[in-house]
């Protein structure tokens, strides 16, 4: 993806959570590198940027500018350099672990700088999925046969990889050590990143409690007022809603929190369809670390793990569809009808998806998907001038080990056999 974008645009911005391998990936394509967080050179870089930021762009191209957000004026310098070159592609790669407020840059960079997201690794990327079922083929090939494809992971192993997370560094560690990475990630976010992102001092204790409360509400439609009440329930913390929103915004800019918006098709009245965001992290291990549980504890708490499993599903779906220009939403109404995820591709195709950890829940998930499809068909029968596209796929992602297609055409697919 990076190579393709370098061939089409003057500069590429790789953004996403820290520790996902953005710099390592960029270094494999760059011919020169400047790391703005280098402690030996940082002060000189800052002084140069304040005087003439274009000097930092000198070097063999593609030139990597790592953690560019520390010197926001670099953005406009890159945009100007690309313009002066006549839009020559493949000049610069920028990486960053947090977003920059729009008022810190003068121009969007549209047409010159393209954005590329990089998330924690999916099970396929960490070699924990057999990869026998391709999401791309499911959409593109009506005759694609998934029957008999098998996943790699048992329930115990699935819990372990959820606790470990999709952090590249964990692949070099033994089992026990790998489980410590997510805890250190949460500590780093709370103790340092939450304040350094915009040089605004924030309380690590409050940040940690907000993440913990968010973890207790993952994969739900919990209202902000309820999460805030949970944060302040102990009496040790007292914050306003404005302060709470400030912390949440910082965590979103750090790519720690990434909620899922509601899908609101015109098949029910607006008051019937839930519109609150579904609470999500970018990686399931963040929730596990924040809750202070481990793999052994989750084996005894499969209901809790069901919510964490859903987080792992959405992380992998994002990874498998990055080059589809996709986005993910959810559907839920006050009648109990739901689809955990609606995976939308840029060309209008979409899949309704339910995440069911155990096989005994598959029938319920299938009935939800089929009823939702039926509602869309009913709408189209009465609203012929503005029909809704019917879903291209109905999928149940499970924690089991065998993939198959039901007689009603619902695809049952273990997460540990899925790939892009």
């Amino acid at each position: 993806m990076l190579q393709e974008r370098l061939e089409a645009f003057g500069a590429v911005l790789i953004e996403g959570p820290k520790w996902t391998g953005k710099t390592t990936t960029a270094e494999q394509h760059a011919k020169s590198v400047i790391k703005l967080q280098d402690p030996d050179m940082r002060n000189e870089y800052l002084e140069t940027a304040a005087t003439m930021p274009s000097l930092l762009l000198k070097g063999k191209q593609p030139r990597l500018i790592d953690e560019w957000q520390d010197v926001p004026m670099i953005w406009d310098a890159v945009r100007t350099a690309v313009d002066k070159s006549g839009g020559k592609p493949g000049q610069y790669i920028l990486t960053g672990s947090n977003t920059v407020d729009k008022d810190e840059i003068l121009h969007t960079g549209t047409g010159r700088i393209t954005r590329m997201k990089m998330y924690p690794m999916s099970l396929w990327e960490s070699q924990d999925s057999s990869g026998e079922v391709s999401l791309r083929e499911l959409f593109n090939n009506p005759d694609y046969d998934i029957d008999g494809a098998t996943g790699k992971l048992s329930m115990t192993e699935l819990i372990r990889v959820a606790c470990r997370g999709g952090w590249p560094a964990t692949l070099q560690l033994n089992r026990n050590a790998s489980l410590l990475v997510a805890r250190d990630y949460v500590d780093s976010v709370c103790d340092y990143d939450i304040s350094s992102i915009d040089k605004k001092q924030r309380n690590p204790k409050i940040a940690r409690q907000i993440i913990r409360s968010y973890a207790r509400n993952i994969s739900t439609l919990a209202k902000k007022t309820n999460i805030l009440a949970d944060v302040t329930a102990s009496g040790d913390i007292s914050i306003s809603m404005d302060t709470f929103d400030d912390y949440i915004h910082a965590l979103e800019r750090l790519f720690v929190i990434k909620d899922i918006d509601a899908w609101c098709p015109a098949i029910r009245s607006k008051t019937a369809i839930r519109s609150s965001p579904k609470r999500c992290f970018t990686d399931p291990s963040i929730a596990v670390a924040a809750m202070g549980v481990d793999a052994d504890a989750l084996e005894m708490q499969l209901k809790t793990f069901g919510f964490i499993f859903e987080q792992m599903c959405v992380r992998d779906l994002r990874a498998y569809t990055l080059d589809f220009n996709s986005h993910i939403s959810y559907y839920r109404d006050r009648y109990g009808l739901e689809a955990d995820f609606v995976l939308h591709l840029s060309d209008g195709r979409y899949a309704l998806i339910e995440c069911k950890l155990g096989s005994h829940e598959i029938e319920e998930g299938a009935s939800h998907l089929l009823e939702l499809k039926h509602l869309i068909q009913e709408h189209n029968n009465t609203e012929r001038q503005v029909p809704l596209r019917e879903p291209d796929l109905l999928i149940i992602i499970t924690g089991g080990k065998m993939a198959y297609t039901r007689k009603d055409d619902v695809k049952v697919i273990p997460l540990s056999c899925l790939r892009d």
Side-chain angles (χ1 to χ4, degrees):
M1 285 178 64
L2 177 56
Q3 182 58 42
E4 288 175 353
R5 288 170 184 256
L6 285 171
E7 292 171 0
F9 294 90
V12 181
L13 166 62
I14 308 175
E15 57 184 354
K18 66 178 186 176
W19 300 2
T20 53
K22 297 183 298 298
T23 301
T24 302
T25 299
E27 285 179 328
Q28 293 172 2
H29 293 263
K31 293 184 178 179
S32 67
V33 180
I34 179 171
K35 297 190 175 184
L36 297 179
Q37 290 189 342
D38 181 345
D40 292 334
M41 298 295 297
R42 181 173 173 78
N43 288 337
E44 287 189 36
Y45 289 155
L46 292 176
E47 290 179 11
T48 301
T51 307
M52 190 174 291
S54 60
L55 294 176
L56 300 178
L57 305 185
K58 291 187 175 182
K60 291 185 177 180
Q61 297 177 341
R63 181 162 175 77
L64 168 59
I65 305 164
D66 190 39
E67 299 297 350
W68 75 275
Q69 75 278 352
D70 286 2
V71 185
M73 62 280 292
I74 282 288
W75 179 273
D76 291 306
V78 167
R79 196 245 332 155
T80 300
V82 172
D83 274 348
K84 287 182 177 179
S85 71
K88 175 184 141 186
Q91 298 183 62
Y92 304 103
I93 307 172
L94 288 74
T95 61
S97 298
N98 62 262
T99 58
V100 171
D101 282 338
K102 294 179 180 178
D103 58 4
E104 294 191 58
I105 57 178
L106 300 177
H107 194 282
T108 62
T110 302
R112 291 86 160 181
I113 308 173
T114 183
R115 295 172 182 267
M116 170 181 154
K117 292 286 195 301
M118 193 164 179
Y119 295 112
M121 291 184 301
S122 63
L123 293 184
W124 167 245
E125 293 168 304
S126 62
Q127 299 183 1
D128 292 299
S129 169
S130 67
E132 291 184 23
V133 177
S134 164
L135 193 59
R136 185 189 302 272
E137 283 296 306
L138 282 170
F139 273 105
N140 294 339
N141 184 359
D143 300 321
Y144 185 51
D145 184 12
I146 68 168
D147 293 349
T150 55
K152 288 182 66 172
L153 304 179
S154 66
M155 185 63 67
T156 298
E157 292 167 331
L158 201 61
I159 292 172
R160 179 184 60 80
V161 296
C163 295
R164 181 202 67 198
W167 315 107
T170 60
L171 300 188
Q172 312 301 322
L173 306 175
N174 63 44
R175 175 176 176 175
N176 291 332
S178 69
L179 300 179
L180 299 176
V181 172
R183 295 181 191 177
D184 191 56
Y185 179 91
V186 172
D187 288 341
S188 176
V189 166
C190 295
D191 295 336
Y192 176 72
D193 299 331
I194 195 77
S195 296
S196 65
I197 182 175
D198 54 8
K199 308 299 186 292
K200 181 178 180 180
Q201 190 60 41
R202 296 182 178 88
N203 188 326
K205 182 178 179 181
I206 294 175
R208 191 170 278 106
Q209 187 60 31
I210 288 175
I211 293 177
R212 184 177 296 121
S213 180
Y214 227 85
R216 288 198 285 261
N217 288 281
I218 54 166
S219 303
T220 74
L221 308 186
K223 295 180 179 179
K224 289 195 301 181
T225 51
N226 293 340
I227 299 176
L228 176 59
D230 185 44
V231 169
T232 58
S234 65
D236 295 337
I237 294 174
S238 178
I239 59 173
S240 67
M241 180 58 76
D242 286 344
T243 301
F244 175 79
D245 285 339
D246 174 69
Y247 277 75
I248 292 296
H249 180 57
L251 292 171
E252 288 173 338
R253 288 180 59 190
L254 289 166
F255 301 100
V256 175
I257 287 173
K258 189 170 178 60
D259 289 343
I260 296 177
D261 292 328
W263 181 51
C264 299
I267 55 176
R268 300 244 199 235
S269 69
K270 289 184 179 180
T271 57
I273 299 177
R274 306 304 187 198
S275 58
S276 301
K278 180 180 281 193
R279 307 303 175 184
C280 287
F281 290 113
T282 53
D283 192 88
S285 65
I286 300 173
V288 175
M291 288 189 288
V293 296
D294 57 20
D296 292 336
L298 286 173
E299 286 185 29
M300 308 300 293
Q301 303 173 41
L302 288 184
K303 183 177 180 180
T304 298
F305 181 63
F307 294 112
I308 294 168
F309 175 71
E310 188 174 319
Q311 300 279 298
M312 187 154 56
C313 290
V314 72
R315 178 201 67 191
D316 285 13
L317 288 171
R318 283 177 177 140
Y320 297 149
T321 58
L322 279 176
D323 57 343
F324 289 22
N325 292 316
S326 66
H327 70 278
I328 295 174
S329 63
Y330 77 90
Y331 177 89
R332 188 173 300 176
D333 62 35
R334 62 186 175 92
Y335 304 104
L337 184 58
E338 67 175 339
D340 290 328
F341 304 123
V342 185
L343 177 59
H344 309 262
L345 304 190
S346 59
D347 60 8
R349 291 180 295 169
Y350 69 99
L352 301 179
I353 301 173
E354 281 272 78
C355 301
K356 299 298 181 185
L357 186 59
S359 58
H360 62 283
E361 301 171 301
I362 289 175
E363 190 62 41
E364 178 190 16
S367 67
H368 283 165
L369 298 179
L370 291 166
E371 185 179 348
L372 185 49
K373 179 179 179 179
H374 180 64
L375 272 178
I376 294 168
Q377 291 171 334
E378 284 189 335
H379 166 82
N380 290 344
N381 286 336
T382 58
E383 296 288 342
R384 296 182 182 276
Q385 289 186 340
V386 191
L388 288 171
R389 184 186 181 109
E390 292 187 24
D392 296 85
L393 292 168
L394 304 179
I395 299 173
I396 299 175
I397 300 178
T398 76
K401 299 200 70 174
M402 183 71 71
Y404 59 94
T405 302
R406 291 166 43 109
K407 291 181 179 179
D408 51 24
D409 208 32
V410 175
K411 310 286 186 183
V412 179
I413 306 172
L415 181 63
S416 63
C417 76
L418 199 58
R419 63 163 296 173
D420 59 357

